[in-house]
Amino acid sequence: MQKSKTFNPLAYSDFRSDTATAPTPDMFAAMMKSSLGDDVFNEDDSIKNLERYVATLCGHEAAIYCTSGTMSNQLAHRVHLSNPPQSAMVDIRSHVFNYEAGGISFHSQAAVYPIMPSNGRYLTVEDIAPRLVHDVDVHYAPTRVVSLENTLNGTIMPIEEIVRIRQLTLEHGIKLHLDGARLWHASIATGITMREYCSHFDTVSLCLSKGIGAPIGSILVGNENTIKKARHFRLLFGGGWRQAGFLAEAALWCIKTNWPTMRDTHLQARSLKLAFQQVGCHITNPVDTNMIWVDTSDAGFTVEELMAELAKENIKISGSGCAARIVLHYQISDEVVNKFIEVLKKVANDVLKRVANTLRLEVDLTKASMQPEASRNCESDNEGSPSTPAPHGSPPVKRLTLDLESKFEVDPFEEVASPMPHLTSFDEAEVHYATTTSKTVSPEPSCLFHERDGSAESLSLAPKSASAHKSRRPLLSSLSSPSVLSVSKNRPISAYASLNGGHKKRIDKERKEDEQEGPTIRRTQSLDLEETLGEKKAMDPSRDGKKLSKLQYRLSHNPASKALKRASVRIVRWGSLLSRES
């Protein structure tokens, strides 16, 4: 890139808009040479020179100098839309639709039909042709004007598509207007002359403030009759001005001086775009000219954070959340762009540091949770820890006892689930499974306490000592898995039911009835579900299966059952983690 293009009289660099430029001493010197005539009477030479220069540059017959781009756009539409009912077709993102206070509907008494381009960038014939309203049905307002914008959000509309749309409008007798506020940029970027661009439109509005850098004003070009009528409407809108020659001189000076520097501005925009991409930002629109549309969400910082750091370097940007629009102009120097990139990288590095510190803290906490507390809880059967008798000829099995009270806050539901099916410890009053119950167990293993060596005897659990009971909470192994099991003759019964011999007959009865109804019951909910169903059947045997199914559904969806399942899953995960560490 080259050196600084021009002097910036402001104490800050403004990336919010290309209308944020300020007059320079050279511009004031040009303004001193202006005429002092009255433009309402069309007697100011400076204004007439500007209008004649721009009309010739764009290949049109005449031009009219206005106070703003909004006024020049509205004058063009008002001239074209003179016979209601009528409508204008516009891009849904365009300035005339979004930022001119509904002026087309108010001033021109016309309906406005906005269209979103199918390609997301610019309108095409395929977008416009099917939506044209022809003057054949009195229920609809016929299309009288198609309004385009180039550039739009910094994106250039291809000249080939403009030619196609022009042919379509000529076939149907529809006027074609261009909001060319930043057409100066498109001409520099593509090498297509202003005359070539403007020759395809009935009217073109050109901003003299955006990009060009004049203090104020826009200019509308068209044929003699159009501009004559627009001059009449300008006075009607309150836009006639008197001695405005000095503003016209400033505008003419900017066209001749600042317009050629736009190529450097485009290079700056591309370098800034690459810097945003390097730090992880997403560019949401093509950077064809002087605008960069940025999404910072992937980079991990907000626009407000970047804005605060840039403000320290006297740089202003606009945006909020994670969306920003960066606009460059002729008063942004290369040094300021380099400073912007330095600040951007600093903000991105701060984000990386925060992420690294967070990850490091998480790793440290994970390591701390795996320290000797877990290994001290690993006790062998030879150290006095009660264990399940191993089958004949099997080596002694190591056992892991989880001291959950000392490391985690556990809700009441966590007391009923065991993190590992083969590790259990029960209270003396709860643990009793007699060998006489072996004939009630199905040939297939139906619960945790089943025959492991094929012998005729069932396993029994040794009661735990009182001191050991105080140091460990009871864990029911068969509730440790949240899997869904279909009720059948081989369905596993709950650990609670299998450990209470007094309920054996009732369990057998419920199992037979369940086999006939065939519902599916979650294992983690088997305790409450089986007891409640049994009690309901005992109280009212005449209840049909439909009511029992409704009760079953309510029980399986109550909050307590869901909390019990979540608690079981959490303990299973922690148990697996501590098991691996041991």
Side-chain angles (χ1 to χ4, degrees), residues 540-554:
D540 191 0
S542 64
R543 286 183 178 272
D544 55 8
K546 184 175 180 180
K547 292 186 177 181
L548 289 176
S549 298
K550 180 183 286 188
L551 174 63
Q552 204 170 31
Y553 176 83
R554 290 178 179 175

Side-chain angles (χ1 to χ4, degrees), residues 40-59:
V40 174
F41 296 144
N42 196 21
E43 295 177 350
D44 188 87
D45 293 335
S46 293
I47 292 179
K48 288 193 289 186
N49 288 338
L50 171 66
E51 293 172 344
R52 192 163 42 246
Y53 180 88
V54 175
T56 303
L57 181 69
C58 297

Side-chain angles (χ1 to χ4, degrees), residues 152-154 282-287 291-295 324-326:
L152 199 161
N153 293 340
H282 176 59
I283 305 301
T284 57
N285 283 317
V287 182
M291 281 190 187
I292 310 168
W293 294 81
V294 183
D295 182 355
R325 186 189 77 162
I326 312 297

